[in-house]
Amino acid sequence: MSATILVTGGSGYIGSHTIIELFNNGFDVVSIDNQSNSSVDAYDHIEQITGKRVVSYSADVCDIAQLRGLFSKHRIEGIIHFAAFKAVGESVEDPLKYYHNNIASLVSVLQLSEEFNVNKLIFSSSCSVYGNVTSLPVDENTALPKAESPYAYTKQIGEVMIENFCKVHPALQAVSLRYFNPVGAHKSGLNGESPINKPNNLVPVITATAIGKIPQLTIYGGEYPTRDGTCVRDYIHVSDVADAHVLALKYLIDGKNSVNYDVFNLGTGNGVSVLEAIHAFEKVSGQKLNYRIGPPREGDVVAVYSDSSKAGKLLGWTCKFDIDEMMRTAWLWERNVAERKK
Ligand code: UD1
């Protein structure tokens, strides 16, 4: 019998792409999502791509009674916990929203993992835990500084919560995956990022500008100490991120882990500037993008990119998509969304 994996935040951007890869690898999936920044349409997209329908619940993971009901109905063997808020700027403006949602949901997940003896857990962490790094590329041994935003702090706290919990519950095997900047869409163009709220991450803003939803893209800062003055990030294709979840789960299921809690970076290792990202988009789409250089955005780090060799070595993970593919799939998805709305 195939194992049933609970995916929290399963109709979200990374959650839905991960369900596709879980299905492709023979897992059964139950999803819980309150659609606070996503749509149930994602389940249709998953079905179009894999031919499989997700068993799904529309509920808040913080609501432990509802979550308990789900655990009672299904024999869950592993949990991938995505459900969280993720906008850095919003977290600065409304910190309690982030502390409540991102922490309470993890408390529910950990408590129920204990109650129902579910002992495999993958946690969605973020490179934002590294803050303003002083030495690049950044690896998992880098000491974590004071967080730059409440969002980043919730990810630091989440990691510590799991580590503390694993110490007293040695049966629990857990991994935190620190994503750099996940972008792009499924290679079919049938599933991608559809935030309910206005896009504010770079690639959705690029494609929204190209399609005319946003009149002009503003580059946040053009005088940083980088090769072209714009910020540098490690963009990684969402399906590569999704793959890593399946590999991390198998790593735990196969008992290949030597410690019961570990962290892994997920990035390509390539630093790409905002201007380089825009030019990659222009090249693959054949579109000229309307952009201007504006003032820096508060809370932005100058440059960050990953040393992901640990995930390569222990999980057997490699990236399949480069920046051109990230842009090509993001653009394909944006056009498909526009086509469907006609
Ligand atoms: C941040 C976090 C990341 C988190 C993500 C969630 C860091 C280093 N990374 O990513 O862990 O998962 O938020 O939202 O904190 N940009 C523009 N114009 C725009 C939009 C963005 O110039 O309209 C620039 C930004 O200044 C930045 C780059 O594009 O240099 C990427 O920005 P964005 O996509 O928002 O992601 P991060 O802030 O890097």
Side-chain angles (χ1 to χ4, degrees), residues 8-9 33-37 59-63 81-87 90-91 94-109 123 150-151 154-155 158 161:
T8 74
D33 197 308
N34 64 356
Q35 279 84 45
S36 64
N37 191 28
D60 189 337
V61 179
C62 299
D63 182 342
H81 179 46
F82 293 103
F85 292 141
K86 60 156 195 166
E90 184 188 49
S91 80
D94 194 353
L96 285 191
K97 178 174 172 179
Y98 278 70
Y99 289 121
H100 178 258
N101 188 51
N102 294 8
I103 306 297
S105 60
L106 182 56
V107 170
S108 299
V109 164
F123 175 62
Y151 162 75
T154 65
K155 293 300 175 186
M161 282 166 66

Side-chain angles (χ1 to χ4, degrees), residues 86-88 126-128 131 151 179-182 200-203 205 217-221 231-233 235 274 297 299-301 304:
K86 60 156 195 166
V88 175
S126 159
C127 72
S128 61
Y151 162 75
Y179 320 144
F180 281 66
N181 285 56
N200 56 42
N201 291 117
L202 181 65
V203 176
V205 171
L217 179 149
T218 302
I219 296 180
Y220 298 135
C231 288
V232 168
R233 294 287 182 276
Y235 299 97
V274 178
R297 178 172 70 175
D300 261 345
V301 304
V304 64

Side-chain angles (χ1 to χ4, degrees), residues 51-82:
K52 291 188 187 161
R53 188 76 197 169
V54 189
V55 176
S56 65
Y57 293 81
S58 275
D60 189 337
V61 179
C62 299
D63 182 342
I64 194 159
Q66 288 221 37
L67 193 59
R68 187 175 284 114
L70 182 160
F71 273 84
S72 318
K73 270 205 206 123
H74 301 273
R75 201 168 63 80
I76 303 295
E77 283 167 54
I79 306 167
I80 307 186
H81 179 46
F82 293 103

Side-chain angles (χ1 to χ4, degrees), residues 9 23 31 74 96-97 131 188 190 203 210 225 231 237 243 256 286:
F23 277 159
S31 167
H74 301 273
L96 285 191
K97 178 174 172 179
S188 63
L190 294 172
V203 176
C231 288
H237 194 276
D243 260 356
K256 291 197 176 139

